[in-house]
Amino acid sequence: MTGSNSAAQRYRPFPWPWVQPSILTTVLDDERRRANYWLDVDLDESDDSSSDYVAEVPEDGDSDASSSDSEEQQDSSTSDGSIIGDSETFPFAYAIRGTGGFDKIAELAKAEEDAAAVYNADEVVSLITQLYELFIAMGHWPEGSLRYAPHTDPPVNEGLAKELGYAPACISLMHRLPYLTWEVNGDEDRRIVSRSRFADYTLDEDLQEGRRGYPHQFFDGCPDYDPWLLPIMLPDQGGLHLMLDTAAGTVRAYHNERGPEQDTVEWRRHGEIGDSEEGRIRAHWTDYRRAALVPAALYFSEVIFAYSSRLRLPIVDPDRNDPRETRYRSYGAWRTRKQRGEWQTLLALYRECGWPDQWLRAEFLEKWAVVKEEIKVRA
């Protein structure tokens, strides 16, 4: 976990660890971000071909093949001007010519290729399982909250999944992922991320919502999500989009009201939205394509690290599970003090009960129940 630890000490978008820096973020990139480096400079919008996406020209120089490739790309262009590939191939592996910001876009395409090359679906299933089991071990979810594969009661409705247009890689994952019991997943007090719940693809309604969730389901004319995307978390208003890209082996996560961060290479790759109302609407339809990308295994390892190291805690208010942060300046001082005290009490209890090596879960839960009532009385 050393790599995750060092990454955690760098730039942390909110809410970390559920939203993480772009695949291209390094210490140097973080310094450039603070110094208003190239990301704060408008990209060249000239008509010169060096500022456009172009298909890689075949080595034999066949101009007819090149022309055909270009026409196919135009046919597969998305409504907001981006270019996507077939659902069974890596979607953004295009050669990009140019200088300045477009060199960064080329780096992003290469980083995506690298992520796709090392992506292992079994590893991701294992990490998600470890994460869920961690929340049970830490006392946030009761024992017996997980349903493991194979899922038979109820099963995944594979016929409906195919009818809805999920890619085969997504359907395969649906069968292998663990799911929470409804008693836990439907309980807002058990949420890890506010106004967001983990998807359960043994439920037909989650299968449908996974193709076009909130708020996209309410936009007239909005297309379904790219078929190779599998939402791991389904948000309500003010919740978190958490999507696994099974083609690129990456995760896209962003707050559905704030939207994806706009100072990333991923955002700039798709071009300016423009001032027209139609342009803004169409860009909103596919805003998930502009979200920062993180290699899937790295993403879930980082989340596991954040909670197992107690940099983030379940059990407390998911909007403020680290009261040391000052994201909500409008919070009353009394409430901030209350939650800081709650957080410090929890940390002390975890230490007292031997987390993680000599963990006494039952003792922790018994003591926490008493302390929680005392906190309520003081409040």
Side-chain angles (χ1 to χ4, degrees), residues 334-365:
W334 68 270
R335 190 168 185 181
T336 299
R337 285 194 299 270
K338 171 184 173 293
Q339 291 188 333
R340 183 177 292 113
E342 188 178 56
W343 188 84
Q344 291 170 344
T345 300
L346 268 174
L347 276 181
L349 272 180
Y350 276 112
R351 285 193 298 268
E352 181 182 334
C353 296
W355 179 267
D357 297 328
Q358 297 177 323
W359 180 230
L360 302 172
R361 183 178 184 275
E363 180 179 327
F364 166 81
L365 290 174

Side-chain angles (χ1 to χ4, degrees), residues 24-284:
L24 292 184
T25 299
T26 63
V27 174
L28 180 58
D29 289 328
D30 196 22
E31 291 173 354
R32 289 172 174 173
R33 171 192 293 270
R34 293 194 181 96
N36 295 321
Y37 198 61
W38 73 271
L39 284 173
D40 294 322
V41 179
D42 289 336
L43 299 180
D44 183 8
E45 296 287 335
S46 68
D47 293 331
D48 187 88
S49 62
S50 64
S51 64
D52 295 327
Y53 293 92
V54 294
E56 192 167 9
V57 178
E59 291 183 2
D60 60 6
D62 187 342
S63 60
D64 291 337
S66 176
S67 174
S68 175
D69 288 345
S70 177
E71 291 173 1
E72 289 176 6
Q73 282 189 2
Q74 289 178 353
D75 290 340
S76 63
S77 295
T78 65
S79 57
D80 68 346
S82 60
I83 299 175
I84 63 173
D86 183 81
S87 63
E88 292 304 306
T89 60
F90 185 69
F92 293 117
Y94 294 94
I96 301 167
R97 296 181 301 186
T99 58
F102 286 94
D103 285 342
K104 280 290 185 181
I105 297 175
E107 288 180 30
L108 177 61
K110 177 61 169 63
E112 288 175 309
E113 287 182 327
D114 293 342
V118 300
Y119 170 65
N120 184 317
D122 290 335
E123 180 183 21
V124 171
V125 169
S126 175
L127 287 168
I128 292 175
T129 302
Q130 290 176 47
L131 178 62
Y132 290 178
E133 290 174 344
L134 175 64
F135 293 140
I136 293 174
M138 296 186 80
H140 187 57
W141 294 338
E143 292 179 335
S145 297
L146 278 188
R147 295 153 41 225
Y148 295 91
H151 301 291
T152 57
D153 186 23
V156 174
N157 188 340
E158 186 167 329
L160 177 60
K162 291 178 179 178
E163 181 182 328
L164 290 169
Y166 285 100
C170 292
I171 296 175
S172 174
L173 279 170
M174 291 174 186
H175 287 292
R176 289 183 282 164
L177 286 170
Y179 299 116
L180 287 166
T181 62
W182 175 248
E183 291 78 12
V184 172
N185 209 20
D187 184 352
E188 291 190 7
D189 291 336
R190 301 282 187 181
R191 297 281 170 89
I192 298 294
V193 179
S194 289
R195 296 168 291 280
S196 311
R197 60 183 171 82
F198 289 102
D200 178 355
Y201 290 110
T202 65
L203 302 175
D204 287 357
E205 53 265 38
D206 281 14
L207 279 171
Q208 293 166 341
E209 190 173 342
R211 290 298 285 127
R212 195 183 340 149
Y214 184 91
H216 305 92
Q217 60 194 196
F218 297 110
F219 299 155
D220 291 338
C222 181
D224 289 340
Y225 299 144
D226 294 331
W228 54 83
L229 295 181
L230 182 67
I232 301 299
M233 196 172 278
L234 300 173
D236 298 325
Q237 183 177 3
L240 183 81
H241 284 292
L242 172 53
M243 299 177 171
L244 174 63
D245 186 327
T246 63
T250 56
V251 164
R252 310 178 190 197
Y254 65 99
H255 191 279
N256 68 11
E257 286 192 342
R258 297 184 185 93
E261 291 195 42
Q262 298 185 21
D263 59 351
T264 63
V265 185
E266 289 89 338
W267 179 278
R268 295 297 180 97
R269 169 171 58 183
H270 292 281
E272 298 297 330
I273 291 176
D275 297 327
S276 71
E277 182 178 357
E278 181 181 1
R280 289 194 297 270
I281 291 173
R282 287 183 174 272
H284 201 17

